């Protein structure tokens, strides 16, 4: 829509849409934004005035031609799923990511909510969608006028908001040229003139800035009349006074307060003071929930902050810094396992130095750090046990479980809601001692949600609801999980917590798989893999494409096609994937050797799914020790769907895999 009406295949090749009337029908249906357009309305819009007698038949011919062009691979007589007949007319059922105007709108919404540096890139991405005027080949037609005006207004606003973001990042010079071109084409934009004057002033060109405001007054006199354009007067007063940051003009009041407060802090607080360490700890905690960039920065600097605190030799100071990072954690594989292990050891050192008689609140925080950061196998200090061996006690896991239990006990005794929320986060991370914990996790998530709601802890309310969403999906209660997803999205929007949307996006792809089947799920998963690839959580995203590719394999009974996995990075899932792919490729002896050495799956949200993968591989080559162990582990999760408790993927009911395992055990019995 953002230019002449056109369509392309996924690989970028243009689709032949045919004659102008065909393109006009497509444009008219796009303007309807998925709503049904009656045939009579199409006739009236395409032939303004008196339509020909054969107009209805012509419209049907145009639609048939468009269907062939838009879905060239659709078998004959199979109904179109894109350009559909519905009731008295037609509708275009296109996804929002397949129409440039809708992508533009969605990207501008993300840009408006992003911090300045990220916003500049998003505004650029949004504006890059434009190839020319809206529906350029249908200028002047009545049916297109409103949408053309609306989208063009959004584009002009996007140009100015991009410039505003550039100013907020300090790139005033970069904003000048674009604003000049923008105002040459649209001289009636008061905000644009204010932004240009501000950019010139911040570039050290005050005289040009004042001349720009003079030209702006002349340009706007016709629009506002004498004495209008009050924003120009405020901008001029600000520039003449030498105030470099506008009080309430484009960059926004909050940014100005931030800049002045940060400068005052640097002037007022001595270097190497404890106050700087405490303030940095609080800043990193808040930074971690702002989005992908903030999370990565917080993770990188947290380790340095802890090291700096430990070098002071002040045990209590170090303990407070280590225990201050109560950022909610929902994914059970660490983004940085090495760094997580270091934090566990630092927290354990601080707790040992404080001793059992140290401040109980501080001790509870340190124990919560141990419990949260020991997720999965991040705290393992020896080689992991093998899946083929009988279960045995693992000292690092026992330490983490005891830390979680004691942290919760101390927090309950102290009646500190924020501390208890942190401790319950640790209890969640240590709730995976065995398979089949979804019901227990739902109870834990419900307690955390109530606690956070009662005491205004929005970050932990999001966490509690995410825990419940995962658990309910694992139990197959999708109606209740849907309600949690809706509540999470509302909370995340209200409190500016964009990372929560990563998990609800994955859940909705899983939900699509459960309700609409595999073809629809394939598209949903492709979208969510692309959208969350750079979310700053490699523990979640690395190897996720392998899990998605395994879904149709594991929900059936067939072996995978190794070629489907050839170009995929298995990431942390390689040890459990390799035996299955070896078995599928005919390398039975290699698969048996791999199964003999493979470690047991991590105690995390995907343990049931990975035990199912091992069971399928073991059944393929008759590896009885792994087959028996997988059967014993999965038995506790018989009421769940394998992997669905992750909120990412589902390999179907665990009972299906148990039956397959029983058949294999019977077939290979001596």
């Amino acid at each position: 829509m953002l230019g002449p009406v056109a369509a392309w295949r996924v690989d970028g090749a243009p689709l032949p849409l045919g004659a102008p009337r065909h393109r006009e029908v497509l444009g008219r249906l796009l303007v309807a934004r998925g709503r049904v357009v009656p045939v009579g309305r199409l006739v009236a819009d395409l032939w303004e005035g008196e339509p020909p007698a054969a107009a209805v038949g012509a419209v049907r011919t145009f639609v048939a031609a468009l269907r062939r062009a838009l879905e060239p691979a659709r078998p004959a007589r199979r109904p179109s799923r894109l350009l559909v007949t519905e009731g008295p007319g037609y509708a275009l059922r296109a996804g929002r990511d397949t129409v440039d105007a809708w992508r533009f709108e969605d990207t501008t919404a993300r840009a408006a909510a992003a911090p300045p540096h990220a916003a500049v890139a998003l505004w650029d991405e949004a504006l890059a969608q434009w190839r020319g005027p809206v529906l350029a080949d249908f200028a002047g037609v009545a049916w297109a006028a409103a949408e053309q005006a609306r989208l063009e207004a959004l584009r002009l606003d996007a140009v100015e908001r991009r410039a505003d973001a550039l100013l907020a990042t300090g790139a005033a010079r970069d904003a000048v040229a674009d604003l000049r071109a923008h105002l040459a084409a649209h001289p009636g934009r008061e905000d644009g003139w204010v932004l240009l004057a501000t950019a010139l002033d911040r570039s050290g060109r005050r005289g040009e800035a004042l001349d720009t405001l003079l030209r702006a007054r002349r340009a706007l006199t016709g629009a506002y009349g004498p004495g209008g354009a009050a924003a120009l007067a405020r901008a001029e007063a600000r520039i003449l006074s030498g105030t470099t940051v506008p009080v309430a003009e484009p960059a926004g009041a909050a940014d100005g307060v931030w800049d002045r407060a940060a400068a005052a802090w640097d002037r007022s607080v001595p270097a190497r003071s404890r106050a700087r360490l405490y303030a940095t700890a609080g800043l990193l905690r808040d930074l971690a929930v702002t989005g992908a960039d903030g999370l990565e920065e917080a993770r990188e600097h947290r380790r340095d902050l802890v090291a700096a605190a430990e070098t002071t030799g002040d045990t209590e100071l170090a303990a407070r810094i280590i225990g201050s990072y109560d950022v909610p954690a929902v994914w059970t594989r660490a983004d940085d396992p090495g760094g997580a292990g270091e934090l566990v050891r630092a927290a354990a050192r601080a707790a040992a130095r404080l001793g059992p008689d140290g401040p109980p609140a501080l001790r509870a925080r340190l124990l919560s750090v141990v419990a949260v950061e020991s997720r999965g196998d991040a705290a393992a200090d020896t080689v992991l046990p093998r899946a083929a061996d009988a279960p045995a006690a693992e000292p690092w896991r026992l330490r983490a479980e005891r830390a979680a239990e004691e942290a919760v006990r101390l927090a309950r005794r102290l009646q500190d809601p924020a501390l208890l929320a942190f401790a319950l986060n640790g209890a969640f991370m240590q709730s995976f001692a065995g398979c089949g914990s979804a019901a227990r996790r739902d109870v834990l998530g419900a307690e955390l949600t109530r606690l956070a709601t009662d005491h205004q802890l929005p970050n932990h309310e999001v966490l509690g609801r995410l825990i419940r969403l995962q658990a309910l999906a694992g139990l197959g209660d999708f109606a209740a999980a849907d309600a949690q997803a809706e509540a999470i999205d509302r909370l995340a929007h209200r409190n500016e917590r964009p990372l929560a949307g990563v998990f609800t996006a994955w859940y909705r792809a899983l939900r699509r798989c459960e309700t609409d089947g595999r073809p629809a799920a394939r598209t949903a998963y492709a979208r969510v893999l692309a959208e969350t690839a750079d979310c700053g959580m490699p523990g979640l995203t690395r190897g996720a494409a392998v899990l998605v590719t395994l879904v149709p394999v594991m929900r059936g009974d067939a072996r995978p096609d190794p070629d489907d996995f050839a170009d995929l990075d298995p990431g942390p899932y390689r040890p459990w994937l390799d035996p299955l792919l070896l078995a599928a490729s005919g390398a039975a002896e290699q698969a048996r050797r791999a199964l003999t050495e493979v470690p047991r799956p991590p105690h995390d949200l995907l343990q049931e799914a990975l035990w199912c993968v091992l069971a399928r591989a073991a059944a393929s080559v008759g590896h009885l020790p792994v087959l028996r162990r997988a059967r014993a582990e999965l038995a506790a999760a018989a009421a769940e769907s394998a992997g669905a408790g992750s909120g990412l993927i589902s390999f179907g009911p665990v009972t299906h895999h148990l039956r397959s395992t029983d058949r294999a055990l019977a077939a290979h019995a001596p």
Side-chain angles (χ1 to χ4, degrees), residues 11-28:
D11 62 7
L15 291 171
L17 296 180
R21 284 297 196 194
H22 299 169
R23 295 197 304 276
E24 188 168 6
V25 170
L26 179 57
R28 179 63 184 86

PDB file of all heavy atoms in Angstrom, residues 11-28:
ATOM      1  N   ASP A  11      10.152 -14.960  -1.132  1.00  0.00           N
ATOM      2  CA  ASP A  11      11.549 -14.835  -1.565  1.00  0.00           C
ATOM      3  C   ASP A  11      11.847 -13.505  -2.243  1.00  0.00           C
ATOM      4  O   ASP A  11      12.958 -13.272  -2.723  1.00  0.00           O
ATOM      5  CB  ASP A  11      11.929 -15.996  -2.492  1.00  0.00           C
ATOM      6  CG  ASP A  11      11.095 -16.008  -3.786  1.00  0.00           C
ATOM      7  OD1 ASP A  11      10.321 -15.047  -4.030  1.00  0.00           O
ATOM      8  OD2 ASP A  11      11.222 -16.980  -4.558  1.00  0.00           O
ATOM      9  N   GLY A  12      10.856 -12.595  -2.310  1.00  0.00           N
ATOM     10  CA  GLY A  12      11.079 -11.266  -2.874  1.00  0.00           C
ATOM     11  C   GLY A  12      10.693 -11.122  -4.324  1.00  0.00           C
ATOM     12  O   GLY A  12      10.728 -10.010  -4.863  1.00  0.00           O
ATOM     13  N   ALA A  13      10.335 -12.206  -4.999  1.00  0.00           N
ATOM     14  CA  ALA A  13       9.948 -12.112  -6.410  1.00  0.00           C
ATOM     15  C   ALA A  13       8.571 -11.460  -6.524  1.00  0.00           C
ATOM     16  O   ALA A  13       7.657 -11.795  -5.762  1.00  0.00           O
ATOM     17  CB  ALA A  13       9.922 -13.500  -7.043  1.00  0.00           C
ATOM     18  N   PRO A  14       8.399 -10.530  -7.469  1.00  0.00           N
ATOM     19  CA  PRO A  14       7.107  -9.855  -7.596  1.00  0.00           C
ATOM     20  C   PRO A  14       6.026 -10.802  -8.112  1.00  0.00           C
ATOM     21  O   PRO A  14       6.297 -11.707  -8.914  1.00  0.00           O
ATOM     22  CB  PRO A  14       7.393  -8.728  -8.595  1.00  0.00           C
ATOM     23  CG  PRO A  14       8.594  -9.185  -9.356  1.00  0.00           C
ATOM     24  CD  PRO A  14       9.400 -10.018  -8.415  1.00  0.00           C
ATOM     25  N   LEU A  15       4.812 -10.599  -7.662  1.00  0.00           N
ATOM     26  CA  LEU A  15       3.660 -11.369  -8.139  1.00  0.00           C
ATOM     27  C   LEU A  15       2.945 -10.564  -9.223  1.00  0.00           C
ATOM     28  O   LEU A  15       2.690  -9.369  -9.037  1.00  0.00           O
ATOM     29  CB  LEU A  15       2.701 -11.657  -6.990  1.00  0.00           C
ATOM     30  CG  LEU A  15       3.200 -12.636  -5.923  1.00  0.00           C
ATOM     31  CD1 LEU A  15       2.238 -12.651  -4.741  1.00  0.00           C
ATOM     32  CD2 LEU A  15       3.353 -14.026  -6.497  1.00  0.00           C
ATOM     33  N   PRO A  16       2.610 -11.168 -10.338  1.00  0.00           N
ATOM     34  CA  PRO A  16       1.916 -10.440 -11.420  1.00  0.00           C
ATOM     35  C   PRO A  16       0.445 -10.244 -11.078  1.00  0.00           C
ATOM     36  O   PRO A  16      -0.354 -11.186 -11.130  1.00  0.00           O
ATOM     37  CB  PRO A  16       2.095 -11.381 -12.623  1.00  0.00           C
ATOM     38  CG  PRO A  16       2.213 -12.750 -12.015  1.00  0.00           C
ATOM     39  CD  PRO A  16       2.886 -12.569 -10.684  1.00  0.00           C
ATOM     40  N   LEU A  17       0.086  -9.023 -10.723  1.00  0.00           N
ATOM     41  CA  LEU A  17      -1.280  -8.753 -10.283  1.00  0.00           C
ATOM     42  C   LEU A  17      -2.242  -8.467 -11.430  1.00  0.00           C
ATOM     43  O   LEU A  17      -3.448  -8.392 -11.213  1.00  0.00           O
ATOM     44  CB  LEU A  17      -1.291  -7.572  -9.304  1.00  0.00           C
ATOM     45  CG  LEU A  17      -0.541  -7.804  -7.996  1.00  0.00           C
ATOM     46  CD1 LEU A  17      -0.621  -6.559  -7.123  1.00  0.00           C
ATOM     47  CD2 LEU A  17      -1.089  -9.011  -7.259  1.00  0.00           C
ATOM     48  N   GLY A  18      -1.704  -8.295 -12.632  1.00  0.00           N
ATOM     49  CA  GLY A  18      -2.591  -8.098 -13.775  1.00  0.00           C
ATOM     50  C   GLY A  18      -2.938  -6.649 -14.025  1.00  0.00           C
ATOM     51  O   GLY A  18      -2.177  -5.730 -13.711  1.00  0.00           O
ATOM     52  N   ALA A  19      -4.131  -6.433 -14.561  1.00  0.00           N
ATOM     53  CA  ALA A  19      -4.563  -5.115 -15.024  1.00  0.00           C
ATOM     54  C   ALA A  19      -4.836  -4.172 -13.854  1.00  0.00           C
ATOM     55  O   ALA A  19      -4.967  -4.597 -12.708  1.00  0.00           O
ATOM     56  CB  ALA A  19      -5.830  -5.276 -15.875  1.00  0.00           C
ATOM     57  N   PRO A  20      -4.930  -2.849 -14.145  1.00  0.00           N
ATOM     58  CA  PRO A  20      -5.184  -1.872 -13.071  1.00  0.00           C
ATOM     59  C   PRO A  20      -6.414  -2.187 -12.239  1.00  0.00           C
ATOM     60  O   PRO A  20      -6.419  -1.951 -11.028  1.00  0.00           O
ATOM     61  CB  PRO A  20      -5.335  -0.553 -13.839  1.00  0.00           C
ATOM     62  CG  PRO A  20      -4.515  -0.743 -15.075  1.00  0.00           C
ATOM     63  CD  PRO A  20      -4.663  -2.186 -15.445  1.00  0.00           C
ATOM     64  N   ARG A  21      -7.485  -2.705 -12.861  1.00  0.00           N
ATOM     65  CA  ARG A  21      -8.684  -3.015 -12.084  1.00  0.00           C
ATOM     66  C   ARG A  21      -8.405  -4.106 -11.039  1.00  0.00           C
ATOM     67  O   ARG A  21      -8.952  -4.085  -9.946  1.00  0.00           O
ATOM     68  CB  ARG A  21      -9.817  -3.478 -13.006  1.00  0.00           C
ATOM     69  CG  ARG A  21     -10.488  -2.378 -13.783  1.00  0.00           C
ATOM     70  CD  ARG A  21     -11.173  -1.369 -12.863  1.00  0.00           C
ATOM     71  NE  ARG A  21     -12.123  -0.531 -13.589  1.00  0.00           N
ATOM     72  CZ  ARG A  21     -12.651   0.570 -13.110  1.00  0.00           C
ATOM     73  NH1 ARG A  21     -12.319   0.984 -11.898  1.00  0.00           N
ATOM     74  NH2 ARG A  21     -13.499   1.285 -13.815  1.00  0.00           N
ATOM     75  N   HIS A  22      -7.559  -5.074 -11.376  1.00  0.00           N
ATOM     76  CA  HIS A  22      -7.194  -6.115 -10.413  1.00  0.00           C
ATOM     77  C   HIS A  22      -6.495  -5.483  -9.214  1.00  0.00           C
ATOM     78  O   HIS A  22      -6.798  -5.797  -8.054  1.00  0.00           O
ATOM     79  CB  HIS A  22      -6.272  -7.151 -11.069  1.00  0.00           C
ATOM     80  CG  HIS A  22      -6.901  -7.853 -12.228  1.00  0.00           C
ATOM     81  ND1 HIS A  22      -6.168  -8.649 -13.095  1.00  0.00           N
ATOM     82  CD2 HIS A  22      -8.176  -7.885 -12.685  1.00  0.00           C
ATOM     83  CE1 HIS A  22      -6.983  -9.144 -14.018  1.00  0.00           C
ATOM     84  NE2 HIS A  22      -8.200  -8.685 -13.788  1.00  0.00           N
ATOM     85  N   ARG A  23      -5.538  -4.599  -9.501  1.00  0.00           N
ATOM     86  CA  ARG A  23      -4.801  -3.946  -8.415  1.00  0.00           C
ATOM     87  C   ARG A  23      -5.726  -3.050  -7.594  1.00  0.00           C
ATOM     88  O   ARG A  23      -5.560  -2.908  -6.383  1.00  0.00           O
ATOM     89  CB  ARG A  23      -3.633  -3.140  -8.976  1.00  0.00           C
ATOM     90  CG  ARG A  23      -2.572  -4.009  -9.649  1.00  0.00           C
ATOM     91  CD  ARG A  23      -1.265  -3.257  -9.829  1.00  0.00           C
ATOM     92  NE  ARG A  23      -1.436  -2.017 -10.566  1.00  0.00           N
ATOM     93  CZ  ARG A  23      -1.459  -1.930 -11.896  1.00  0.00           C
ATOM     94  NH1 ARG A  23      -1.356  -3.028 -12.628  1.00  0.00           N
ATOM     95  NH2 ARG A  23      -1.611  -0.769 -12.501  1.00  0.00           N
ATOM     96  N   GLU A  24      -6.727  -2.454  -8.270  1.00  0.00           N
ATOM     97  CA  GLU A  24      -7.652  -1.583  -7.545  1.00  0.00           C
ATOM     98  C   GLU A  24      -8.501  -2.402  -6.571  1.00  0.00           C
ATOM     99  O   GLU A  24      -8.754  -1.972  -5.437  1.00  0.00           O
ATOM    100  CB  GLU A  24      -8.542  -0.810  -8.509  1.00  0.00           C
ATOM    101  CG  GLU A  24      -9.377   0.248  -7.800  1.00  0.00           C
ATOM    102  CD  GLU A  24     -10.059   1.216  -8.757  1.00  0.00           C
ATOM    103  OE1 GLU A  24      -9.978   1.004  -9.988  1.00  0.00           O
ATOM    104  OE2 GLU A  24     -10.688   2.176  -8.270  1.00  0.00           O
ATOM    105  N   VAL A  25      -8.936  -3.577  -6.986  1.00  0.00           N
ATOM    106  CA  VAL A  25      -9.686  -4.443  -6.069  1.00  0.00           C
ATOM    107  C   VAL A  25      -8.813  -4.803  -4.871  1.00  0.00           C
ATOM    108  O   VAL A  25      -9.269  -4.762  -3.717  1.00  0.00           O
ATOM    109  CB  VAL A  25     -10.176  -5.711  -6.796  1.00  0.00           C
ATOM    110  CG1 VAL A  25     -10.731  -6.727  -5.782  1.00  0.00           C
ATOM    111  CG2 VAL A  25     -11.256  -5.361  -7.806  1.00  0.00           C
ATOM    112  N   LEU A  26      -7.554  -5.162  -5.131  1.00  0.00           N
ATOM    113  CA  LEU A  26      -6.653  -5.505  -4.030  1.00  0.00           C
ATOM    114  C   LEU A  26      -6.475  -4.313  -3.098  1.00  0.00           C
ATOM    115  O   LEU A  26      -6.538  -4.447  -1.865  1.00  0.00           O
ATOM    116  CB  LEU A  26      -5.303  -5.961  -4.575  1.00  0.00           C
ATOM    117  CG  LEU A  26      -4.256  -6.330  -3.524  1.00  0.00           C
ATOM    118  CD1 LEU A  26      -4.756  -7.429  -2.600  1.00  0.00           C
ATOM    119  CD2 LEU A  26      -2.949  -6.751  -4.194  1.00  0.00           C
ATOM    120  N   GLY A  27      -6.261  -3.119  -3.666  1.00  0.00           N
ATOM    121  CA  GLY A  27      -6.112  -1.924  -2.837  1.00  0.00           C
ATOM    122  C   GLY A  27      -7.352  -1.655  -2.002  1.00  0.00           C
ATOM    123  O   GLY A  27      -7.256  -1.324  -0.812  1.00  0.00           O
ATOM    124  N   ARG A  28      -8.521  -1.828  -2.601  1.00  0.00           N
ATOM    125  CA  ARG A  28      -9.768  -1.571  -1.862  1.00  0.00           C
ATOM    126  C   ARG A  28      -9.934  -2.550  -0.701  1.00  0.00           C
ATOM    127  O   ARG A  28     -10.376  -2.175   0.391  1.00  0.00           O
ATOM    128  CB  ARG A  28     -10.960  -1.685  -2.832  1.00  0.00           C
ATOM    129  CG  ARG A  28     -12.324  -1.466  -2.162  1.00  0.00           C
ATOM    130  CD  ARG A  28     -12.430  -0.056  -1.608  1.00  0.00           C
ATOM    131  NE  ARG A  28     -13.675   0.170  -0.892  1.00  0.00           N
ATOM    132  CZ  ARG A  28     -13.872  -0.112   0.403  1.00  0.00           C
ATOM    133  NH1 ARG A  28     -12.884  -0.635   1.127  1.00  0.00           N
ATOM    134  NH2 ARG A  28     -15.025   0.154   0.968  1.00  0.00           N
TER     135      ARG A  28
END
